[in-house]
């Protein structure tokens, strides 16, 4: 019965297409393969929805606001504890990047940034240990531009959950500078106030 059907099919293929059954099936297989390659390249909306839906199926805890925390405290949010959110900072602003665990989670290509302020590394497009810091002093204009772009990307993609507390020594150093300026007797008060505002501006930068 099956053999008879096969014979009829072969005859129909020859009659309707003028091709031998072998050529016909080879062409058919090629067309299917080409279709898959092309739909994979341009991506039908269905293809894109599948992974997104899968991500949505694993519910993420809503971002928790942490306020001001130290760089040391930030380290515990590097993804090693899966119950904690995955955090990363740029210019002292901490972002919840839990939704991008594939990038920043353990084993991910950018796991080294997790739990850290990665400003310098991002500005310099560097993966070096020495650049895994929030210290952006001495960067050039292009690097600062690149960092700004990263910051915009993060601001639009992730929720800010806190800021990094400035190290105690920063405050002390500023205090000392101000005190030192006050100690100089020859300075007029006008110069003094100008200096104070300049140092405040410098600090803001
Ligand atoms: C050969 C070089 C590189 C390639 C091919 C590459 C490729 C990629 C790709 C395909 C993505 C995913 C983009 C998306 O879906 O939104 C990505 C994301 C990212 N890349 Fe790279 N990358 C490279 C180098 C770097 C370098 C040098 C850095 C920084 C030091 C970097 C930092 C990042 C970060 C932080 C993300 C994640 C952004 C997010 O959270 O959305 N990449 N990269």
């Amino acid at each position: 019965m099956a053999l008879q059907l096969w014979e009829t099919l072969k005859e129909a293929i020859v009659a309707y297409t003028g091709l031998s059954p072998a050529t016909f099936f080879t062409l058919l297989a090629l067309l299917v393969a080409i279709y898959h390659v092309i739909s994979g390249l341009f991506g039908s909306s269905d293809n894109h929805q599948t992974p997104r839906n899968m991500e949505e199926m694993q519910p993420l805890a809503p971002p928790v606001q942490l306020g001001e925390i130290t760089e040391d405290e930030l380290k515990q949010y590097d993804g090693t504890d899966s119950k904690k959110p995955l955090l990363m900072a740029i210019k002292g602003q901490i972002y919840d990047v839990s939704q991008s665990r594939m990038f920043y989670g353990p084993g991910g290509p950018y796991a080294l940034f997790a739990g850290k302020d990665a400003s310098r590394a991002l500005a310099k497009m560097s993966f070096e240990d020495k650049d895994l810091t929030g210290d952006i002093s001495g960067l050039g204009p292009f690097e600062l531009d690149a960092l700004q772009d990263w910051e915009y990307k993060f601001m639009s993609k992730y929720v800010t959950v806190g800021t990094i507390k400035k190290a105690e020594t920063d405050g002390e150093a500023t205090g000392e500078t101000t005190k030192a300026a006050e100690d100089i007797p020859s300075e007029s008060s006008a110069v003094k106030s100008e200096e104070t505002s300049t140092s405040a501006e410098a600090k803001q930068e």
Side-chain angles (χ1 to χ4, degrees), residues 80-98:
T80 38
D81 182 347
S82 59
K83 286 184 214 84
K84 289 200 169 105
L86 194 50
L87 307 182
M88 179 181 157
I90 295 182
K91 292 208 227 163
Q93 294 291 318
I94 304 168
Y95 299 89
D96 187 327
V97 296
S98 306

Side-chain angles (χ1 to χ4, degrees), residues 103-104 110 113 121-122 125-127 150 153-154 157-158:
F103 287 147
Y104 307 105
Y110 305 117
F113 299 148
L122 288 174
M125 295 298 277
S126 155
F127 293 126
W150 281 114
K153 182 180 168 80
F154 273 65
K157 186 169 178 182
Y158 303 114

Side-chain angles (χ1 to χ4, degrees), residues 14-205:
V14 176
Y16 286 109
T17 65
L19 299 169
S20 74
T23 318
F24 175 79
F25 284 113
T26 311
L27 275 178
L28 192 68
L30 268 173
L31 282 175
V32 171
I34 289 169
Y35 168 79
H36 277 281
V37 169
I38 291 178
S39 64
L41 277 182
F42 296 106
S44 71
S45 55
D46 282 356
N47 280 354
H48 281 294
Q49 263 164 17
T50 316
R52 205 186 300 150
N53 287 344
M54 275 165 67
E55 274 171 28
E56 279 163 13
M57 275 161 64
Q58 299 163 354
L60 277 174
V64 177
Q65 292 299 323
L66 297 171
E68 261 199 334
I69 62 169
T70 63
E71 281 202 79
D72 248 9
E73 286 167 327
L74 182 61
K75 283 187 191 143
Q76 55 181 309
Y77 300 98
D78 65 355
T80 38
D81 182 347
S82 59
K83 286 184 214 84
K84 289 200 169 105
L86 194 50
L87 307 182
M88 179 181 157
I90 295 182
K91 292 208 227 163
Q93 294 291 318
I94 304 168
Y95 299 89
D96 187 327
V97 296
S98 306
Q99 73 193 73
S100 298
R101 192 161 271 275
M102 66 288 192
F103 287 147
Y104 307 105
Y110 305 117
L112 72 173
F113 299 148
K116 296 193 189 98
D117 186 319
S119 299
R120 195 173 192 86
L122 288 174
K124 296 178 70 179
M125 295 298 277
S126 155
F127 293 126
E128 284 183 48
D129 261 6
K130 67 172 169 63
D131 293 322
L132 291 175
T133 161
D135 175 13
I136 55 168
S137 58
L139 292 180
F142 294 111
E143 291 166 335
L144 289 171
D145 254 14
L147 181 58
Q148 189 62 67
D149 287 346
W150 281 114
E151 191 181 16
Y152 287 144
K153 182 180 168 80
F154 273 65
M155 279 160 69
S156 66
K157 186 169 178 182
Y158 303 114
V159 175
T160 316
V161 292
T163 51
I164 294 183
K165 207 184 280 177
K166 291 246 167 69
E168 285 296 308
T169 49
D170 271 13
E172 277 166 25
T174 322
E176 272 163 28
T177 320
T178 322
K179 197 168 172 286
E182 279 165 9
D183 286 344
I184 301 170
S186 61
E187 268 185 345
S188 74
S189 58
V191 173
K192 241 191 275 175
S193 72
E194 196 186 310
E195 276 215 351
T196 319
S197 71
T198 320
S199 74
E201 275 162 24
K203 207 183 160 229
Q204 268 180 359
E205 276 170 26

